[in-house]
């Protein structure tokens, strides 16, 4: 009677443990497969976006001559703007000298 009770208790427990481990392995395998499928889809999406970006860059590309002409135009504008600022500074300085002289003359008028 001892071995039959042991077999009656251990056999279902052992069978249940094996079934449970097989079920968990299958679930883990399914979960890993789904993860790889999502990763694959994400990589394909990124690949499409990179291809679109590459096409957009190619559409918006300018030639070296156009870029050089643009840079040269910008440099000329900066030089012209700097010259105008220097001229304005000279005019302001000249005006300040004139106003200072007029003020001094005005103050000296009352002393005479």
């Amino acid at each position: 009677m001892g071995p039959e009770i042991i077999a009656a208790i251990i056999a279902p427990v052992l069978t249940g443990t094996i079934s449970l481990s097989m079920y968990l392995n299958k679930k883990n395998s399914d979960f890993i497969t789904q993860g790889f499928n999502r990763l694959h889809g994400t990589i394909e999406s990124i690949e499409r976006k990179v291809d679109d970006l590459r096409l957009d860059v190619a559409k918006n590309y300018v030639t070296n001559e156009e870029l050089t002409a643009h840079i040269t135009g910008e440099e000329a504008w900066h030089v012209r703007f700097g010259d105008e600022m220097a001229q304005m500074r000279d005019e302001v300085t000249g005006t300040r000298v004139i106003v200072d002289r007029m003020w001094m003359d005005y103050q000296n008028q009352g002393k005479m």
Side-chain angles (χ1 to χ4, degrees):
M1 188 147 106
E4 293 92 14
I5 292 176
I6 292 175
I9 294 174
I10 291 182
V13 171
L14 185 61
T15 307
T17 303
I18 292 172
S19 296
L20 183 62
S21 66
M22 290 176 64
Y23 173 76
L24 290 176
N25 284 335
K26 182 178 180 341
K27 282 296 183 184
N28 286 340
S29 174
D30 291 343
F31 183 73
I32 290 171
T33 302
Q34 288 174 356
F36 280 126
N37 287 339
R38 283 193 309 264
L39 179 65
H40 179 69
T42 303
I43 289 174
E44 284 181 346
S45 173
I46 291 171
E47 181 182 4
R48 273 186 251 115
K49 288 179 182 177
V50 168
D51 286 342
D52 292 345
L53 178 65
R54 187 181 60 195
L55 292 174
D56 287 343
V57 168
K59 270 194 281 185
N60 297 330
Y61 179 74
V62 295
T63 63
N64 193 24
E65 293 81 21
E66 291 172 329
L67 184 60
T68 303
H70 178 74
I71 291 171
T72 304
E74 287 288 322
E75 289 172 348
W77 181 85
H78 282 283
V79 168
R80 190 173 63 246
F81 184 75
D83 291 342
E84 289 175 2
M85 289 299 291
Q87 181 182 1
M88 186 183 299
R89 188 179 316 117
D90 292 342
E91 290 174 1
V92 167
T93 302
T95 304
R96 179 187 286 165
V97 169
I98 292 170
V99 169
D100 285 344
R101 285 184 186 157
M102 289 172 64
W103 179 249
M104 293 297 283
D105 288 344
Y106 175 75
Q107 286 180 339
N108 289 335
Q109 267 181 347
K111 294 181 181 180
M112 288 186 175

